[in-house]
Amino acid sequence: RLVKVENMKRLLRPSLSRAVSKRPIRRLHATGSDLNKQQMAHAAADAEPVQVVLNTTSTSTKPRVVPDFIINHVAPTHSGSAWLQSKRLSEKEAYGEASLEGGYKQFREDIRNIVPDSRVFTDPVRTLAYGTDASFYRLVPKIVVKVHDEAEMIKLVQYAAKNKTPVTFRAGGTSLSGQAITDSILLKLGHTWRYRKIWDDGKYITVEPGWILGQVNRMLAPYGRKLGPDPSSIDSCWIGGVVANNSSGMCCGVAQNTYHTIKDLRIVFHDGTILDTADSVSWASFQRTHKHIVDGVMQLAKQVKADEELSALIRKKFSIKCTTGYSINALVDFDEPLEIIKHLMVGSEGTLGFVSRATYNTVPDYKDKASAFIVFPTVEDASNATWELRKAKCTDAVELMDRRSLRTCENMEHLHFLRGIPDTATALLVECRGSNAEEMQARINQAEKTINDAGLLTLNGINFSRDPAVCTAYWDARKALIPMVGAVREAGTSVLLEDVAVPVQNLAKLCNGLEEMFNKFEYYDGSAFGHALEGNLHLVFTQGFDTPEEVKRYEAMMDYLCKLVVSLEGSLKAEHGTGRNVAPYVEMEWGKKATEVMWKLKNLFDPSDLLNPGVILNKDPNVHTQNLKPLPVAHGIVDSCMECGFCESACPSGHVTLTPRQRIVATREISRLEALNTASSLDKAEEMRKSYEYLALDSCAADGMCAEKCPVNINTGRMVKDLRAKSVESNTDSYVNQLATIASKNFGLMMGGVPIVLNTVDLFHKLLGTKVMSLASSFVGPLVGLHWNPYLARGASPIKAPPSAVQTNAQNKKVVYFATCVSRTMGPARGDFEEASIHEKTMSVLAKAGYEVILPKGLSNACCGLIFDSRGYPKQGEEQGNNLEALLLEASENGAIPILCDTSPCLMRMKETFQDAKLKSAMYDPTEFAANYLMEHLVVAKREKSIAIHVPCSSKKMKKDKYFEQIARACAMEVTMSPVPCCGMAGDRGLRFPEISGGGVQSSVKVPPGAAMVIRDPAVGPNTTIAWDEVKDNCSEGFSTSRTCEISLSNSTGSHFKSIMYLLDRCTIAKESQATA
């Protein structure tokens, strides 16, 4: 959504200036005229995968009120906030460590020898950014510590206890109920918590809390196993949060949640004591040193079991999904204190201790599955069908969607049958699985029979599909319901997602009650959908908190909702955790006796109330309406951001500076401060800008991979490019802008000098050796703004006339070969046995396949413009792109001849910016062209034993992954697929800021990505996984389709990466050559 504001002012200084200086206030708002048509087209294109259109113009006529930093702010009461009561309000606001007082100041001093300064944040940008989670609450920590291992965590917890400063543990920050925020000390897990061990043929896995759930499942995939929990945030949420919130999901139900599948835990308690439940010695020690906890737990268990009414209530409550309060079912489910303590920790949201390691019992991952989208006339019919299916135990997932939900997806592919259905209609999305096709079919037959025998009518029949395209469309529609609401909401409002459950037989009553609630409180965009098989529904609606009246409306709605759910014997939180959101309602749901048991548990495990105080249990009846988070308008590209955090797992710079979500949060706050236009707000905005330029803009790879993960397809990188461009536009007469224009006009001359420079640097490398060269470059790099690494390319050889094609029977086999400026200037690195340049290998393969190669005229001056656009010079980039389009139109006879581009990022840039549709459809990257045009004309041999493949960001976004795998498997017996979402190179940005691509001082601890899938020829053995940092030991070399990315990958793995055309040339011969031989 674009919000029109006046007098857009300069955002950035010239990129080459690093000194902090007095400068005019710069606005972050973007107006409709500020965003060019091309960028708007990209924003719309980004939304296409889920068929939503981002709002780019405001339909609201009411004046926009600048929201408070924290709406309805009430400082939480806890021991660490006592010093606030005596703070002098007349003091000028202090930032950073100067703002710390009392126990916080002492805590900061105490940990100086524990955690390096580079991982302790007190500045206003990072405390705000790291303090933000996916909920609609806001508290800003005074100190953020990025914790790298258990030893650090123990010390930090002990010093917090010493200084009486509360701590909150944070993993992925995707939780929705306000349980991962604090105004005290935030202990944020770094990406280093990556221990893993798979044993007993995948039946068990031990992992540390820093793994993403989806990554763990990919490690288990070769064993046909997975973890039980399957939340929609599966590719973003961390194991730490999965355990702390007792996460579940669409298919896991109650039986496969963390509580029921956990085997062992390693726990850090409030005093720093470790209990490893898998270690008998650890347990024996804990029984001696913490006898009061063991005895207290057993006493509570005895008390609860003796109370038949309370025991029955607990069993009944946990027969459906329930994450309200503590997992007190442990007190009735187990007799041994070790098991009770272990299971109490699950779902405790960091209020009883910190889980540093978890061992799971894994569950089968069946590949045979089928889905049916069944529409019923009424919600009662759908609910009755769900109840019958639950009793029959023949389905693996049943998702309910009300009529409002169905309207949002009736135009999606394979779902047009939803158009025109009655207003009372409700649908069930049903999935059946099996260990084999026969078992799956038996379950399908039973499901169909169950619905028919119940005499339930359907509007479209019962048709299970095994077609992956159809099933994917069904489930994509279900997953898109939340982002669709988020994408079309009014700018400045929040997307609220409530999460309730009732016994399945009460599901229809719940749906009807929710419909009445939406109408009563005027939430006309509200919809309900969810995991019907468990009686679990999600409520999605939008809410502004601009006025006290809006806050009161939300409060009244929550009261109504909680009373409705409790009246239906349900759970106020089914799977999202209690947090702050329903903490005031715990006693309403559980009653006084059960709530008193929970308070006793909290006091037993955390007597000083220092572990995430105010979460799960809170005596403030209004805490759920306090400290609400505003989402002020800031930039048209990101105004629809819900701050869910799904984007973070794809960001290469998040471990060093900020993630996409954090960049948006910082941008929004500076925008809000500037809109206030007061002396204090402008001072704070200026203070934030001191670090904002580097943290948010300079270090952003702007690769757009965040959009691939984002539910509403927000490309934060595009916002960053736009802000960089604004800096240039505001300095049109600056020497930097003039240099960019000169470089564009004389591009061929400039690029002609690059190989000379690279060869000169390589000569120094040869003469000095790697160690001396590395030392020298550590001094020279910061001065010149480019940092050398041992895998920097040598200069490419000049392009020569194409070799003669091998004569074949096929006629008129022509191809236009666009050798990009990167491949024209960069050759192999020193130490690589390959000597030829990319273009030589490419033309060799084309000749063997019998293709006549056409080189565009004026190739030496040709550029797609990406190098200019990414640096903030879109006008120069557009000019370059237009010139290239004209050259390729001429060379390809207006798109009649296919065009091969040897560098994937350049190809994507051309497909995004070129105007001629036929030309764009004629362009191919190396892997797709090889698969579709070359392989049939070549004899391919598996000459390589084991290689690695990295699919660049651009190829991922263009959905070319399958071609990479196809080519690699044809050439090698074993192929390791890179799990790295983005290497962070981003052209030359990884050389200018090496820390984002895995190098440099700030990345002394590199981010370990997920396990790499190893695909094997059946003759060699089954598929498996390996750690990516083991790739050098397992693979002879690596291949990709972006030369700069290959430099970064070589540097991070120690194994030479190069273009996949080298592999293809090495492993192929012409068919005619074979016949001759």
PDB file of all heavy atoms in Angstrom, residues 842-859:
ATOM      1  N   THR A 842      31.306 -23.143 -22.535  1.00  0.00           N
ATOM      2  CA  THR A 842      29.929 -23.088 -23.050  1.00  0.00           C
ATOM      3  C   THR A 842      29.910 -23.314 -24.551  1.00  0.00           C
ATOM      4  O   THR A 842      29.109 -24.105 -25.077  1.00  0.00           O
ATOM      5  CB  THR A 842      29.291 -21.738 -22.700  1.00  0.00           C
ATOM      6  OG1 THR A 842      29.279 -21.568 -21.275  1.00  0.00           O
ATOM      7  CG2 THR A 842      27.861 -21.659 -23.218  1.00  0.00           C
ATOM      8  N   MET A 843      30.795 -22.634 -25.261  1.00  0.00           N
ATOM      9  CA  MET A 843      30.812 -22.788 -26.714  1.00  0.00           C
ATOM     10  C   MET A 843      31.309 -24.164 -27.132  1.00  0.00           C
ATOM     11  O   MET A 843      30.929 -24.682 -28.184  1.00  0.00           O
ATOM     12  CB  MET A 843      31.636 -21.664 -27.346  1.00  0.00           C
ATOM     13  CG  MET A 843      30.898 -20.323 -27.284  1.00  0.00           C
ATOM     14  SD  MET A 843      31.558 -19.033 -28.344  1.00  0.00           S
ATOM     15  CE  MET A 843      32.901 -18.430 -27.341  1.00  0.00           C
ATOM     16  N   SER A 844      32.128 -24.782 -26.297  1.00  0.00           N
ATOM     17  CA  SER A 844      32.566 -26.146 -26.579  1.00  0.00           C
ATOM     18  C   SER A 844      31.384 -27.112 -26.526  1.00  0.00           C
ATOM     19  O   SER A 844      31.218 -27.972 -27.407  1.00  0.00           O
ATOM     20  CB  SER A 844      33.640 -26.572 -25.575  1.00  0.00           C
ATOM     21  OG  SER A 844      33.941 -27.948 -25.712  1.00  0.00           O
ATOM     22  N   VAL A 845      30.566 -26.975 -25.497  1.00  0.00           N
ATOM     23  CA  VAL A 845      29.388 -27.840 -25.369  1.00  0.00           C
ATOM     24  C   VAL A 845      28.413 -27.600 -26.513  1.00  0.00           C
ATOM     25  O   VAL A 845      27.874 -28.544 -27.105  1.00  0.00           O
ATOM     26  CB  VAL A 845      28.687 -27.614 -24.013  1.00  0.00           C
ATOM     27  CG1 VAL A 845      27.389 -28.408 -23.940  1.00  0.00           C
ATOM     28  CG2 VAL A 845      29.605 -28.007 -22.864  1.00  0.00           C
ATOM     29  N   LEU A 846      28.186 -26.327 -26.843  1.00  0.00           N
ATOM     30  CA  LEU A 846      27.263 -26.000 -27.931  1.00  0.00           C
ATOM     31  C   LEU A 846      27.752 -26.577 -29.260  1.00  0.00           C
ATOM     32  O   LEU A 846      26.960 -27.074 -30.076  1.00  0.00           O
ATOM     33  CB  LEU A 846      27.100 -24.482 -28.039  1.00  0.00           C
ATOM     34  CG  LEU A 846      26.385 -23.798 -26.867  1.00  0.00           C
ATOM     35  CD1 LEU A 846      26.448 -22.281 -27.020  1.00  0.00           C
ATOM     36  CD2 LEU A 846      24.948 -24.266 -26.754  1.00  0.00           C
ATOM     37  N   ALA A 847      29.057 -26.532 -29.481  1.00  0.00           N
ATOM     38  CA  ALA A 847      29.619 -27.086 -30.718  1.00  0.00           C
ATOM     39  C   ALA A 847      29.430 -28.592 -30.775  1.00  0.00           C
ATOM     40  O   ALA A 847      29.075 -29.163 -31.820  1.00  0.00           O
ATOM     41  CB  ALA A 847      31.091 -26.715 -30.823  1.00  0.00           C
ATOM     42  N   LYS A 848      29.663 -29.276 -29.645  1.00  0.00           N
ATOM     43  CA  LYS A 848      29.493 -30.728 -29.620  1.00  0.00           C
ATOM     44  C   LYS A 848      28.047 -31.131 -29.896  1.00  0.00           C
ATOM     45  O   LYS A 848      27.778 -32.198 -30.459  1.00  0.00           O
ATOM     46  CB  LYS A 848      29.953 -31.280 -28.264  1.00  0.00           C
ATOM     47  CG  LYS A 848      31.456 -31.350 -28.115  1.00  0.00           C
ATOM     48  CD  LYS A 848      31.885 -32.088 -26.869  1.00  0.00           C
ATOM     49  CE  LYS A 848      31.695 -31.278 -25.606  1.00  0.00           C
ATOM     50  NZ  LYS A 848      32.274 -31.948 -24.421  1.00  0.00           N
ATOM     51  N   ALA A 849      27.125 -30.270 -29.481  1.00  0.00           N
ATOM     52  CA  ALA A 849      25.702 -30.566 -29.707  1.00  0.00           C
ATOM     53  C   ALA A 849      25.251 -30.162 -31.099  1.00  0.00           C
ATOM     54  O   ALA A 849      24.073 -30.340 -31.448  1.00  0.00           O
ATOM     55  CB  ALA A 849      24.855 -29.861 -28.653  1.00  0.00           C
ATOM     56  N   GLY A 850      26.175 -29.590 -31.899  1.00  0.00           N
ATOM     57  CA  GLY A 850      25.849 -29.257 -33.273  1.00  0.00           C
ATOM     58  C   GLY A 850      25.169 -27.918 -33.458  1.00  0.00           C
ATOM     59  O   GLY A 850      24.485 -27.706 -34.473  1.00  0.00           O
ATOM     60  N   TYR A 851      25.349 -27.009 -32.513  1.00  0.00           N
ATOM     61  CA  TYR A 851      24.685 -25.700 -32.606  1.00  0.00           C
ATOM     62  C   TYR A 851      25.595 -24.657 -33.247  1.00  0.00           C
ATOM     63  O   TYR A 851      26.791 -24.578 -32.941  1.00  0.00           O
ATOM     64  CB  TYR A 851      24.265 -25.203 -31.217  1.00  0.00           C
ATOM     65  CG  TYR A 851      22.899 -25.705 -30.815  1.00  0.00           C
ATOM     66  CD1 TYR A 851      22.760 -26.944 -30.192  1.00  0.00           C
ATOM     67  CD2 TYR A 851      21.754 -24.959 -31.085  1.00  0.00           C
ATOM     68  CE1 TYR A 851      21.516 -27.417 -29.830  1.00  0.00           C
ATOM     69  CE2 TYR A 851      20.509 -25.428 -30.730  1.00  0.00           C
ATOM     70  CZ  TYR A 851      20.387 -26.657 -30.102  1.00  0.00           C
ATOM     71  OH  TYR A 851      19.145 -27.129 -29.757  1.00  0.00           O
ATOM     72  N   GLU A 852      25.009 -23.872 -34.119  1.00  0.00           N
ATOM     73  CA  GLU A 852      25.670 -22.687 -34.650  1.00  0.00           C
ATOM     74  C   GLU A 852      25.469 -21.570 -33.634  1.00  0.00           C
ATOM     75  O   GLU A 852      24.340 -21.216 -33.298  1.00  0.00           O
ATOM     76  CB  GLU A 852      25.064 -22.297 -35.995  1.00  0.00           C
ATOM     77  CG  GLU A 852      25.657 -21.005 -36.570  1.00  0.00           C
ATOM     78  CD  GLU A 852      24.943 -20.543 -37.826  1.00  0.00           C
ATOM     79  OE1 GLU A 852      24.215 -21.360 -38.451  1.00  0.00           O
ATOM     80  OE2 GLU A 852      25.094 -19.348 -38.170  1.00  0.00           O
ATOM     81  N   VAL A 853      26.551 -21.003 -33.154  1.00  0.00           N
ATOM     82  CA  VAL A 853      26.489 -20.000 -32.091  1.00  0.00           C
ATOM     83  C   VAL A 853      26.504 -18.595 -32.693  1.00  0.00           C
ATOM     84  O   VAL A 853      27.379 -18.262 -33.510  1.00  0.00           O
ATOM     85  CB  VAL A 853      27.658 -20.169 -31.103  1.00  0.00           C
ATOM     86  CG1 VAL A 853      27.612 -19.081 -30.032  1.00  0.00           C
ATOM     87  CG2 VAL A 853      27.610 -21.546 -30.463  1.00  0.00           C
ATOM     88  N   ILE A 854      25.560 -17.787 -32.281  1.00  0.00           N
ATOM     89  CA  ILE A 854      25.474 -16.395 -32.703  1.00  0.00           C
ATOM     90  C   ILE A 854      25.796 -15.515 -31.496  1.00  0.00           C
ATOM     91  O   ILE A 854      25.143 -15.619 -30.451  1.00  0.00           O
ATOM     92  CB  ILE A 854      24.065 -16.050 -33.224  1.00  0.00           C
ATOM     93  CG1 ILE A 854      23.699 -16.965 -34.399  1.00  0.00           C
ATOM     94  CG2 ILE A 854      23.971 -14.583 -33.605  1.00  0.00           C
ATOM     95  CD1 ILE A 854      22.242 -16.850 -34.809  1.00  0.00           C
ATOM     96  N   LEU A 855      26.815 -14.675 -31.621  1.00  0.00           N
ATOM     97  CA  LEU A 855      27.151 -13.726 -30.560  1.00  0.00           C
ATOM     98  C   LEU A 855      26.511 -12.383 -30.901  1.00  0.00           C
ATOM     99  O   LEU A 855      26.644 -11.901 -32.038  1.00  0.00           O
ATOM    100  CB  LEU A 855      28.656 -13.563 -30.420  1.00  0.00           C
ATOM    101  CG  LEU A 855      29.439 -14.818 -30.015  1.00  0.00           C
ATOM    102  CD1 LEU A 855      30.931 -14.498 -29.964  1.00  0.00           C
ATOM    103  CD2 LEU A 855      28.960 -15.345 -28.673  1.00  0.00           C
ATOM    104  N   PRO A 856      25.816 -11.742 -29.964  1.00  0.00           N
ATOM    105  CA  PRO A 856      25.196 -10.445 -30.244  1.00  0.00           C
ATOM    106  C   PRO A 856      26.238  -9.407 -30.640  1.00  0.00           C
ATOM    107  O   PRO A 856      27.378  -9.432 -30.145  1.00  0.00           O
ATOM    108  CB  PRO A 856      24.527 -10.081 -28.920  1.00  0.00           C
ATOM    109  CG  PRO A 856      24.399 -11.358 -28.175  1.00  0.00           C
ATOM    110  CD  PRO A 856      25.558 -12.197 -28.589  1.00  0.00           C
ATOM    111  N   LYS A 857      25.859  -8.503 -31.490  1.00  0.00           N
ATOM    112  CA  LYS A 857      26.745  -7.405 -31.856  1.00  0.00           C
ATOM    113  C   LYS A 857      26.952  -6.504 -30.630  1.00  0.00           C
ATOM    114  O   LYS A 857      26.067  -6.326 -29.813  1.00  0.00           O
ATOM    115  CB  LYS A 857      26.144  -6.600 -32.997  1.00  0.00           C
ATOM    116  CG  LYS A 857      26.012  -7.385 -34.309  1.00  0.00           C
ATOM    117  CD  LYS A 857      25.364  -6.518 -35.383  1.00  0.00           C
ATOM    118  CE  LYS A 857      25.203  -7.294 -36.686  1.00  0.00           C
ATOM    119  NZ  LYS A 857      24.519  -6.471 -37.725  1.00  0.00           N
ATOM    120  N   GLY A 858      28.129  -5.926 -30.547  1.00  0.00           N
ATOM    121  CA  GLY A 858      28.405  -5.015 -29.430  1.00  0.00           C
ATOM    122  C   GLY A 858      28.408  -5.711 -28.085  1.00  0.00           C
ATOM    123  O   GLY A 858      28.051  -5.112 -27.061  1.00  0.00           O
ATOM    124  N   LEU A 859      28.806  -6.992 -28.058  1.00  0.00           N
ATOM    125  CA  LEU A 859      28.755  -7.779 -26.824  1.00  0.00           C
ATOM    126  C   LEU A 859      29.614  -7.178 -25.717  1.00  0.00           C
ATOM    127  O   LEU A 859      29.243  -7.233 -24.537  1.00  0.00           O
ATOM    128  CB  LEU A 859      29.208  -9.209 -27.118  1.00  0.00           C
ATOM    129  CG  LEU A 859      29.169 -10.193 -25.947  1.00  0.00           C
ATOM    130  CD1 LEU A 859      27.756 -10.338 -25.402  1.00  0.00           C
ATOM    131  CD2 LEU A 859      29.721 -11.564 -26.372  1.00  0.00           C
TER     132      LEU A 859
END
